[in-house]
Amino acid sequence: YLIVTTQDAARTRQVAWEAARVFMERYRQQNQLFMEMVDLISDILTLPNEELAGTVTGPIFGGIIEPLSDTYDPMDRQVSEIVLARLITRIRTLPNEHPLYKQVFAFNAELVALGLSDEAALLERANAVRQPKIFDASAIGSVRKVFLFSRVTIGADIVLTSQAIEKMLRCFPKAEIFLIGPSFLKELFKGASFIKIRELRFDRRGGVIGRFFTWLKVLNIIRNEIKNLGPDEDFLFVDLNSRFLQTGM
């Protein structure tokens, strides 16, 4: 109570970082998920005071999500999905008087339309996506579009994304290759006319809720590109642990 009602942004940020530290420490050392720490961070995140709510961006992503995602460990990834599902669920319950309610309403409507109506559904979806899949080689010819997501940093896109693009070109010679990410991609791949860049800004300094809303923009890009595909034509997503998709959806 004292934490979420204080008007001291510096103190609130300190508390959020401590909550993130305790969560990670308990997980690493005892293999336990201290979700009360996530709930505490969620309490701050959903405050109507924008300055206070913004203090949790670093603790959530820098303190929990990115350290878990960057290990490429399956268990760490599952834990990050559990944390994100809890945060998403809290965001969806923002009251009508909250400054971001209209955006949250649209965000929630999209999730519901996709059958992701609650925390359990988000986790079920994440688990389904996580399962290894065998691609049917006979379907290669039906793939018309392949979407890759930038890693958001130039170095990672040079090392990882460029190799993934080469692989996709070899595997799916009839497909168009789309790369979604920041404006620097146009310069990075300016000599590669076979890559279609769809620019999308990743706001590193934006708030947590704003990063979740980026998913809506990704969704719109994909829908716009696949709307004219025929019934026998398909598309693929290739995720190299992109920051764009580190929002649990």
Side-chain angles (χ1 to χ4, degrees):
Y1 175 78
L2 292 174
I3 293 169
V4 299
T5 57
T6 180
Q7 294 301 304
D8 185 349
R11 172 59 180 156
T12 306
R13 183 178 292 105
Q14 181 183 6
V15 170
W17 271 109
E18 179 64 10
R21 185 195 67 77
V22 171
F23 176 86
M24 291 297 291
E25 185 178 87
R26 184 73 65 89
Y27 169 57
R28 293 300 189 202
Q29 297 181 4
Q30 303 179 31
N31 199 31
Q32 295 179 355
L33 299 186
F34 197 0
M35 294 303 291
E36 288 84 352
M37 294 296 97
V38 178
D39 291 335
L40 185 138
I41 293 174
S42 298
D43 287 340
I44 301 173
L45 172 62
T46 53
L47 288 172
N49 184 308
E50 184 177 349
E51 182 182 11
L52 295 182
T55 62
V56 302
T57 303
I60 289 175
F61 286 99
I64 299 177
I65 302 304
E66 291 177 6
L68 289 172
S69 299
D70 290 347
T71 66
Y72 290 91
D73 180 82
M75 182 57 68
D76 285 357
R77 176 178 175 180
Q78 185 174 358
V79 172
S80 73
E81 290 164 352
I82 291 172
V83 172
L84 289 166
R86 178 63 57 87
L87 293 172
I88 292 168
T89 301
R90 288 296 301 276
I91 290 171
R92 297 171 79 171
T93 63
L94 290 180
N96 294 7
E97 60 271 16
H98 194 282
L100 296 176
Y101 176 74
K102 288 184 178 180
Q103 294 98 311
V104 170
F105 182 85
F107 175 74
N108 186 56
E110 288 286 5
L111 289 173
V112 171
L114 293 171
L116 304 173
S117 57
D118 55 23
E119 187 172 353
L122 285 168
L123 291 174
E124 184 179 352
R125 168 64 177 165
N127 181 62
V129 171
R130 199 185 321 113
Q131 300 306 311
K133 300 173 181 63
I134 299 175
F135 187 83
D136 184 357
S138 65
I140 287 178
S142 67
V143 176
R144 290 292 182 265
K145 299 192 177 187
V146 176
F147 298 91
L148 297 97
F149 300 87
S150 167
R151 288 269 301 174
V152 181
T153 59
I154 294 178
D157 278 330
I158 292 174
V159 174
L160 295 175
T161 309
S162 60
Q163 292 188 43
I165 290 173
E166 290 180 8
K167 182 71 171 179
M168 292 302 103
L169 287 169
R170 291 198 303 269
C171 290
F172 306 102
K174 296 182 179 180
E176 294 179 284
I177 306 296
F178 293 84
L179 180 56
I180 300 172
S183 58
F184 70 74
L185 294 173
K186 292 182 178 179
E187 181 66 22
L188 189 62
F189 295 100
K190 64 180 180 181
S193 58
F194 49 84
I195 302 174
K196 300 191 177 191
I197 307 295
R198 293 297 177 261
E199 188 174 337
L200 182 60
R201 181 172 177 265
F202 181 80
D203 190 359
R204 289 182 174 274
R205 297 188 178 184
V208 173
I209 298 179
R211 292 197 188 189
F212 284 118
F213 291 163
T214 299
W215 172 73
L216 292 175
K217 297 177 182 178
V218 172
L219 202 60
N220 287 334
I221 290 174
I222 300 298
R223 284 174 172 167
N224 185 61
E225 296 296 342
I226 67 173
K227 62 184 179 182
N228 293 323
L229 289 179
D232 297 324
E233 297 177 322
D234 212 341
F235 60 96
L236 291 178
F237 300 111
V238 180
D239 176 27
L240 302 174
N241 194 28
S242 170
R243 295 288 187 250
F244 284 110
L245 301 182
Q246 285 182 356
T247 50
M249 295 163 294

